[in-house]
Amino acid sequence: MAAGVEAARGTGQLAGRVIVPGGPHPDLPPRSGGRGEGSPPLERIRISYGSHPVPDERSLQAGVELLDSLEHIPPGWPLLCLISGGASSLLVQPRSPLHLADKMAVTRLLLACGAEIAELNTVRKHLSAVKGGGLAQRAGERDILTLALSDVVGDDPSLIGSGPAVPDPSTFAKALSVLDRYQLRERVPVPVRALLERGAGGAIAETLKPDAALADRLASAVIGNNRMALDAAAVAAARLGYLPIVDPEPLVGDSAAAARRWGAYLASLPRQGRWCAIAGGETTVVVRGGGRGGRNQEFAVALGEGLAGEPIAALSAGTDGIDGPTDAAGAFVDGDSAARAAALGLSAAAALVANDSYAYFESLDDLLRCGPTGTNVMDIKLAVRVGSSA
């Protein structure tokens, strides 16, 4: 996105900063800048690095650098805010008196309990000095256009990347209700609970609201979303000789349950002919075990149980090339996966209980490792009929 802006701007005046995953970290190997293969180097937009899906010191420093860059933009210059999925973790500035450790703890708790991205970002916005319109407030009296790649169902700009430069209709009370839904109010750090309770009681100013005067200077547009990815996949499937069948409803909720529903849907499709079923969305995982994996790998494990013996091969993957805290984007599964796993002494049920889908598919050599794609428009599921049913 940043490279595209530089190319579109040509020789015109331009200054800015982009935050991408990776960069130096004492406990992690170096990663690419995340701009994608073939992207030209940036010349006028400087790069900062952050962490995803849980923020760390890099994300905090990136927030400092971004806010500092605002001080060097000439007065009156309009701002272009480029937002994609992951921005909530990459850009961090805790609301006083919170610290980075508080934000990290809340993020981990919400991710582990299976909270949906809309719920997670509702809480994040009220713990941040830059989310929920906070960046727009820090930018002063400027016109700001947000262009967003959506990683949320419904494409609400206030939820994409937690909306740093768009108004926020949610409230402190709503953020507290999310914690209560997952019985987290007493488990989050004390400063987090105190801040949200004070805010709900009116002792702390709310996030930027749609009826605020500043909101009149803010505009936004979603320039990429999951449906666009699904439509592109359908075009590619047709080109390869498959009949594309796109599911219009997003897959949401628990990953394993959603996989079983989609498996039943695949079983209802024609038993003859070459077709490619395509679906998207963003499911969740409740972490109960100590294994490794991500929502797409868990989806694939559960899907494999229903595909046993069927002439169907499927892929569940994140469009950003990253699934949970792993180096895989997702995993492949087909009608032989369950039998191959059993031959190795592996159990799909045990992998789901232990949240250890990564080890399951690593043993099968069926992980998709493509690296960061440079974009993020939720997840995509593909299933192709590869032969005749018995």
Side-chain angles (χ1 to χ4, degrees):
M1 294 173 80
V5 167
E6 283 200 349
R9 186 61 176 159
T11 59
Q13 288 183 305
L14 178 68
R17 184 170 290 273
V18 60
I19 306 172
V20 299
H25 190 282
D27 301 321
L28 294 174
R31 288 181 52 185
S32 73
R35 294 194 300 279
E37 292 296 327
S39 294
L42 298 177
E43 298 179 354
R44 289 175 288 175
I45 298 177
R46 302 184 65 182
I47 300 174
S48 295
Y49 295 93
S51 174
H52 180 268
V54 178
D56 65 11
E57 292 81 2
R58 292 169 296 176
S59 304
L60 184 64
Q61 180 60 30
V64 171
E65 291 167 352
L66 180 64
L67 292 176
D68 180 67
S69 70
L70 291 177
E71 302 297 324
H72 298 88
I73 298 176
W77 275 30
L79 298 183
L80 183 61
C81 189
L82 309 175
I83 297 294
S84 67
S88 297
S89 177
L90 297 171
L91 169 62
V92 171
Q93 280 292 288
R95 195 166 187 164
S96 179
L98 302 184
H99 298 285
L100 175 62
D102 299 319
K103 298 289 294 290
M104 294 173 68
V106 172
T107 301
R108 289 194 177 103
L109 285 169
L110 287 167
L111 288 172
C113 74
E116 296 180 355
I117 187 64
E119 296 172 316
L120 177 58
N121 286 357
T122 294
V123 175
R124 282 167 156 168
K125 286 187 284 191
H126 288 85
L127 303 180
S128 174
V130 291
K131 301 176 179 68
L135 183 64
Q137 292 174 311
R138 298 288 291 269
E141 297 296 320
R142 301 176 186 269
D143 294 328
I144 303 177
L145 171 63
T146 292
L147 301 180
L149 296 175
S150 175
D151 69 330
V152 299
V153 173
D155 300 336
D156 182 349
S158 73
L159 292 172
I160 303 169
S162 298
V166 297
D168 172 35
S170 71
T171 62
F172 278 105
K174 180 64 175 178
L176 277 175
S177 73
V178 172
L179 298 186
D180 290 340
R181 177 180 178 182
Y182 297 101
Q183 300 179 326
L184 294 179
R185 190 185 289 219
E186 301 305 318
R187 296 180 59 194
V188 299
V190 172
V192 169
R193 182 172 68 249
L195 186 147
L196 293 179
E197 289 177 346
R198 290 183 63 216
I204 301 176
E206 266 287 0
T207 50
L208 180 67
K209 293 295 174 262
D211 59 356
L214 179 59
D216 293 336
R217 308 194 68 157
L218 309 179
S220 63
V222 174
I223 60 172
N225 61 11
N226 190 249
R227 183 65 198 205
M228 292 174 68
L230 303 189
D231 289 345
V235 171
R239 187 182 301 123
L240 293 170
Y242 291 92
L243 171 67
I245 305 172
V246 181
D247 192 338
E249 294 298 321
L251 292 167
V252 296
D254 179 74
S255 286
R260 295 182 183 111
R261 292 195 302 270
W262 202 54
Y265 166 75
L266 295 179
S268 73
L269 296 178
R271 311 291 285 183
Q272 303 297 324
R274 287 166 56 87
W275 48 254
C276 176
I278 303 168
E282 185 156 317
T283 56
T284 58
V285 172
V286 177
V287 178
R288 298 186 177 92
R292 296 180 66 204
R295 60 179 180 263
N296 284 287
Q297 293 161 69
E298 291 227 354
F299 186 99
V301 170
L303 182 62
E305 295 178 296
L307 294 184
E310 292 290 332
I312 296 173
L315 167 69
S316 177
T319 56
D320 59 353
I322 303 166
D323 187 36
T326 75
D327 62 352
F332 298 96
V333 66
D334 59 29
D336 295 331
S337 295
R340 290 192 295 122
L344 294 174
L346 302 173
S347 163
L352 291 172
V353 169
N355 296 117
D356 203 18
S357 52
Y358 183 91
Y360 180 89
F361 284 113
E362 188 173 41
S363 297
L364 294 176
D365 195 25
D366 284 342
L367 290 168
L368 171 62
R369 294 185 178 98
C370 59
T373 64
T375 189
N376 185 349
V377 288
M378 296 194 287
D379 301 331
I380 189 168
K381 323 291 183 184
L382 304 172
V384 294
R385 189 176 176 281
V386 294
S388 299
S389 299

